Amino acid sequence: MSRLPPHTRSVPHRSRGLVTLAVLALAASAGPGAAASAPAVSEPTALTASADVTTGTAAASGARRAGTGNLIRNGSAEKTKGKPDDFSRVTLKGWSVKKSEQFTAARYAADAPDPEEYGQRLAKNSPGPGSRGKNHFTGAYHTSSATTGRATQRIDLGNHRSLVKKGATFELSGWLGGYAGNKDRMQVTLTWLDRKGKKVGKPARLAPVTVADRDILTPGEPGDEVTLLAERTASGTVPQRARKAKVVLKALRGDSGVRAAYADKLSLKLRS
């Protein structure tokens, strides 16, 4: 059964939110041909959903699968050149961001008395991952005329060529979200590249957490959406000709810029 994270208050007029937390990320999706799995709450403090693109039987008991750790560098925006705040743009180590793109890192706000109250900034105790650092990705450092903001990272798979040739699978995940009723949102795309840099196989995507997804207290009644992060996951098979992986984190503009699109704890792992 779904339940609110222990760090949030439960009051009578919000009782319907308890039922809807598990439905928060029904919009999660992966690449073409994806088969979505049922959303689930992985732990009391987490809002989760999955979109697996492959299914299969579990390995025999006791068998050990070869794999990698997280291949995404600086997937939680903790490594920056400059101190993140709401008024300046910082360099994200490991990520490529064009000067024309509105994309940076920001600090989580201090714990909010009521993190579900409408209009709260993304805080340390906002609904989301049970453990988090000081920073998160955000679409921009101020409201602007930009319609998108993106950060790109290319990952060399050379050290994992043997694993890929044997038919590796991948697990992509990230915590995405936005500010209350603002329509700004974040999405993640994973593309595989061959040795010449050409696309191979099918891309995988983590769908945005939309305004409708954030309407967890009284679904269908706008005006009390919650600022939060929810987990999106996708999995599939790595193309055997893949030599690099390209991850694009993209903030999409709503009505007032791309400042209120958030992401944190991005991860890409390969398995045999």
Side-chain angles (χ1 to χ4, degrees):
M1 182 181 73
S2 173
R3 56 180 176 175
L4 284 171
H7 57 242
T8 60
R9 292 193 299 133
S10 177
V11 292
H13 79 278
R14 290 178 179 158
S15 60
R16 296 173 64 187
L18 298 174
V19 181
T20 58
L21 282 174
V23 200
L24 176 65
L26 284 175
S29 63
S37 64
V41 178
S42 62
E43 56 183 49
T45 56
L47 305 175
T48 68
S50 62
D52 294 341
V53 298
T54 62
T55 58
T57 57
S61 178
R64 189 171 183 178
R65 299 174 63 194
T68 70
N70 185 8
L71 298 178
I72 295 179
R73 302 180 301 281
N74 194 20
S76 295
E78 294 301 306
K79 298 178 181 179
T80 65
K81 185 178 180 181
K83 185 177 180 180
D85 57 42
D86 278 348
F87 308 101
S88 61
R89 181 171 176 171
V90 298
T91 299
L92 296 166
K93 294 183 178 180
W95 296 88
S96 174
V97 181
K98 295 181 180 179
K99 290 184 178 180
S100 59
E101 297 282 0
Q102 295 297 327
F103 203 95
T104 187
R107 287 286 176 95
Y108 281 101
D111 285 353
D114 180 2
E116 290 184 345
E117 181 180 356
Y118 185 84
Q120 288 287 349
R121 293 176 54 199
L122 189 63
K124 293 179 180 178
N125 63 338
S126 293
S131 62
R132 64 192 80 178
K134 296 180 180 179
N135 304 337
H136 60 84
F137 297 102
T138 189
Y141 57 93
H142 60 73
T143 299
S144 69
S145 60
T147 57
T148 63
R150 78 187 74 198
T152 302
Q153 184 173 137
R154 291 175 181 257
I155 303 167
D156 191 343
L157 303 178
N159 291 335
H160 313 292
R161 183 174 298 182
S162 176
L163 187 63
V164 172
K165 285 185 176 181
K166 291 178 181 179
T169 60
F170 69 87
E171 299 168 1
L172 176 68
S173 64
W175 290 78
L176 312 181
Y179 172 84
N182 193 300
K183 293 182 180 180
D184 293 353
R185 59 228 185 260
M186 192 82 75
Q187 70 180 27
V188 179
T189 302
L190 167 65
T191 305
W192 305 104
L193 307 175
D194 64 15
R195 61 186 181 85
K196 294 183 178 181
K198 294 183 179 181
K199 296 179 182 179
V200 291
K202 297 178 179 179
R205 295 183 177 86
L206 302 182
V209 175
T210 65
V211 174
D213 295 327
R214 303 195 290 271
D215 187 13
I216 63 174
L217 300 179
T218 55
E221 299 178 18
D224 63 350
E225 294 85 357
V226 176
T227 301
L228 52 74
L229 293 171
E231 187 179 35
R232 301 298 207 204
T233 67
S235 61
T237 302
V238 182
Q240 292 187 344
R241 292 192 294 128
R243 295 295 179 268
K244 290 185 178 181
K246 183 173 76 170
V247 178
V248 177
L249 188 55
K250 184 177 181 180
L252 303 170
R253 181 181 180 181
D255 298 327
S256 58
V258 293
R259 176 180 179 180
Y262 308 134
D264 200 357
K265 298 181 75 70
L266 301 176
S267 175
L268 173 63
K269 297 179 180 180
L270 305 187
R271 295 286 183 267
S272 61

